[in-house]
Amino acid sequence: MSRTRKTLVAATFSYTQFATGILAAIVLTPLILSHVGSREYGIWLAGLEALGYAAMADVGVFAVLPWMFAKADGQRDPTNVRRLLAHGLLMGMVVGLAYAAMAGLFWFCLPDVLNLAEKDRALIGGPMAVLAALIAAGFPLRVFSALRIGLQDVWFNGTAALVQFALSVGITIVLLLNGFGLHALAAAAAFPPLLTALAALLRTAWSDRSLLQDWPRPTFSDCVSLLREGLGAWFSSFGVQMVWASSALIIVYLGHPEWVIIYWCTARMSHILLQLSWVLPDSSLPGLAQLHGEGRVERVREVIATTFRLNLVLASGAALVVLTTNAVFVPWWVGHDYYGGWWLNSLFGIGVIGTSIVHGIVSPAAVIGNRLRVGVNSMLGGLAYVGMALTLGAQLGLEGLALAAPLSGLLVIALPTARLLGERTGITWRAMTSDALGSYAFRFTPLVAAAGLFPIAFPEAAATALFVSLMLVSAHLWLTQNYYLDLTVQDSLRQCLGRLRPLQIQDPAKAKPVEHGGAR
């Protein structure tokens, strides 16, 4: 199976998972709120964010292992794959213990920092302990999940993800209806990933048994080398954690735990569609790692340019949907009391585009190298976000938090990372973003204005909102056809789309590369 086909298969599975996830969220969120309560659920979400920080104990090893497996596979080096497996399993055991220790430390420190009442602490204590224990136990098995991703075992990975999701939804519904409350959420979050990692081990034993044989004895120097590779990803993950998993903690710290659910419900559509827009370009990253391992610089440059354009096009379409429909979706879904208003929703919609520009630059830069420098940039961006969110949140409320994410990403992460990417590939910041900041923005701005003004003019028109959203997204896709026409599609479809004579947009991959030793 070709890399392009593997990418499309992986993307199809991810899109299916997202589609079912949206449907499940529509059903589960009202069910959770009715059986747990909005304040309690908000505190639970803050606790999950704290456990997310405890997961940083992996020092980025499991974030970077799929790329390292992919690179070793691209180099046809099974010996290196076995070495990575041996050291990854050892690191998983160490990380599991470190995670448990950090989770315990957070449990004793954070409630006082967040000024949580004793009843709130008692409410989430038991479920959080169950969740933390099962996550810690599953860390060693994650090396096999990383292996299946690196080998681009797309059918297994896609099926496993769907089964994991179905188990999570089923456990949540059954246990909630039987009165288990937050324990239902803990079990649904912990058991399915553990079972999926075990399935990855069994899959490896079945289809790649030779990789489980003749492992080398782990050495201290190789462990240090693996940690060094993961350190950049750790810095990056830490920055991402601060941006995407700190809002509930910040809101609780500011003294308004009841705002957590309002922020979460209003942001839900934008977050889902943002991740949905990243599925297709991100599905190409293991293949990009393999191409980099093969030393095919020109092809690497082409793939990076394509993924950046796809991030921009798909995120812009997602923003139009958020701006047009979220004002009627959230009240229908959970009620008017949980909708944060037009300004908050508009900032979420525009933030989808800004965040995707950052993502389209950072992801390939980390895959092909520069992981430590990219990670440092991401960590600095996360620190900038926390500072901006605390400052703007205190002055502007929830709108301040929504504004802080894209601002910190574009100013602190994207600009310096783009320079690193140019050093390795010859694709400059100007070549990648000139269209987005020029002709593309000029033609896209009227669509954004129409989408943003629609909820004001027609605040209760649900059916009309869906129709207008479809029309705006269709117009957007027509204007940006050159951003995706070079993908592998049927010739008849390519010719049909080509007759529409879309806006001619420069391909940044064809821009004249800079002279630099890393691109040779």
Side-chain angles (χ1 to χ4, degrees):
M1 185 185 297
S2 68
R3 291 191 180 98
T4 300
R5 187 174 295 275
K6 287 181 179 180
T7 296
L8 294 177
V9 170
T12 299
F13 272 113
S14 296
Y15 282 128
T16 302
Q17 185 180 0
F18 271 107
T20 54
I22 292 171
L23 294 176
I26 292 175
V27 175
L28 288 182
T29 302
L31 182 67
I32 293 171
L33 291 174
S34 64
H35 283 76
V36 175
S38 59
R39 175 183 171 84
E40 291 78 6
Y41 189 38
I43 295 173
W44 171 258
L45 293 177
L48 289 182
E49 291 184 351
L51 287 184
Y53 279 99
M56 300 301 297
D58 73 347
V59 200
V61 168
F62 291 99
V64 77
L65 267 176
W67 301 342
M68 298 179 71
F69 280 127
K71 183 176 181 179
D73 184 55
Q75 294 172 333
R76 305 294 190 269
D77 188 357
T79 301
N80 192 26
V81 173
R82 296 187 185 95
R83 183 184 64 81
L84 291 172
L85 280 170
H87 289 82
L89 183 62
L90 176 62
M91 291 301 301
M93 297 176 184
V94 175
V95 167
L97 295 175
Y99 172 85
M102 290 185 65
L105 179 63
F106 286 164
W107 172 247
F108 285 106
C109 297
L110 276 180
D112 293 333
V113 175
L114 299 178
N115 299 315
L116 291 180
E118 187 62 32
K119 64 177 182 179
D120 294 327
R121 185 169 181 169
L123 177 71
I124 66 173
M128 283 291 170
V130 171
L131 179 58
L134 291 175
I135 292 177
F139 260 108
L141 293 175
R142 291 190 182 189
V143 67
F144 300 104
S145 297
L147 173 65
R148 304 322 306 175
I149 295 173
L151 297 181
Q152 290 191 281
D153 191 357
V154 292
W155 287 102
F156 170 80
N157 293 331
T159 302
L162 291 177
V163 171
Q164 176 179 321
F165 171 78
L167 285 174
S168 180
V169 172
I171 291 172
T172 301
I173 294 175
V174 171
L175 295 185
L176 277 178
L177 293 178
N178 283 275
F180 284 90
L182 292 178
H183 281 89
L185 305 185
F191 278 110
L194 186 61
L195 296 176
T196 300
L198 180 60
L201 169 60
L202 297 177
R203 169 69 170 178
T204 303
W206 176 266
S207 61
D208 298 285
R209 182 180 296 273
S210 63
L211 295 179
L212 300 180
Q213 300 170 351
D214 301 322
W215 283 7
R217 183 184 298 275
T219 64
F220 179 77
S221 61
D222 281 341
C223 287
V224 172
S225 177
L226 185 57
L227 287 173
R228 188 183 301 113
E229 287 287 338
L231 190 59
W234 183 86
F235 282 129
S236 181
S237 298
F238 189 66
V240 171
Q241 182 77 15
M242 285 188 283
V243 174
W244 291 108
S246 296
S247 56
L249 290 171
I250 292 173
I251 294 171
V252 172
Y253 176 80
L254 292 175
H256 298 283
E258 69 279 3
W259 288 2
V260 173
I261 300 302
I262 297 175
Y263 187 88
W264 186 84
C265 289
T266 307
R268 188 61 174 169
M269 177 182 285
S270 65
H271 287 175
I272 288 177
L273 292 181
L274 178 65
Q275 296 175 48
L276 191 65
S277 70
W278 291 353
V279 168
L280 184 56
D282 282 5
S283 297
S284 68
L285 294 180
L288 177 62
Q290 289 181 332
L291 290 171
H292 179 59
E294 295 170 2
R296 299 170 61 183
V297 178
E298 290 299 326
R299 183 58 179 152
V300 166
R301 185 183 293 118
E302 293 174 2
V303 171
I304 291 174
T306 298
T307 58
F308 179 81
R309 298 198 306 271
L310 280 176
N311 272 294
L312 181 60
V313 170
L314 296 175
S316 299
L320 293 175
V321 175
V322 172
L323 293 171
T324 308
T325 63
N326 203 37
V328 295
F329 169 73
V330 175
W332 168 81
W333 176 34
V334 289
H336 286 277
D337 292 340
Y338 295 104
Y339 178 61
W342 183 83
W343 275 109
L344 181 61
N345 185 61
S346 298
L347 290 172
F348 281 139
I350 300 301
V352 167
I353 302 174
T355 304
S356 291
I357 291 176
V358 178
H359 182 75
I361 294 171
V362 171
S363 296
V367 168
I368 66 172
N370 296 317
R371 294 188 185 109
L372 181 58
R373 295 169 68 185
V374 171
V376 170
N377 291 340
S378 298
M379 185 181 67
L380 293 175
L383 292 171
Y385 165 77
V386 172
M388 290 182 182
L390 288 171
T391 303
L392 297 176
Q395 298 179 359
L396 304 177
L398 297 180
E399 289 81 1
L401 272 72
L403 183 61
L407 278 180
S408 59
L410 289 169
L411 296 178
V412 183
I413 303 176
L415 288 173
T417 303
R419 289 195 292 269
L420 297 179
L421 191 61
E423 293 175 2
R424 296 297 294 265
T425 66
I427 302 178
T428 65
W429 166 261
R430 181 177 180 180
M432 294 186 72
T433 62
S434 58
D435 296 313
L437 301 177
S439 58
Y440 183 90
F442 177 76
R443 288 161 175 80
F444 184 65
T445 299
L447 300 179
V448 173
L453 293 175
F454 177 81
I456 298 177
F458 304 97
E460 302 292 337
T464 307
L466 292 175
F467 176 77
V468 171
S469 175
L470 178 61
M471 293 298 100
L472 291 175
V473 171
S474 299
H476 163 64
L477 293 177
W478 178 79
L479 287 173
T480 58
Q481 290 177 57
N482 277 26
Y483 265 39
Y484 52 84
L485 276 182
D486 58 350
L487 295 176
T488 302
V489 296
Q490 295 293 330
D491 289 340
S492 58
L493 176 59
R494 185 191 302 275
Q495 294 171 4
C496 178
L497 293 174
R499 294 192 190 100
L500 297 177
R501 299 182 181 276
L503 169 68
Q504 297 297 315
I505 300 175
Q506 180 186 3
D507 184 347
K510 298 177 181 178
K512 183 178 180 180
V514 297
E515 292 296 331
H516 191 278
R520 293 172 182 167

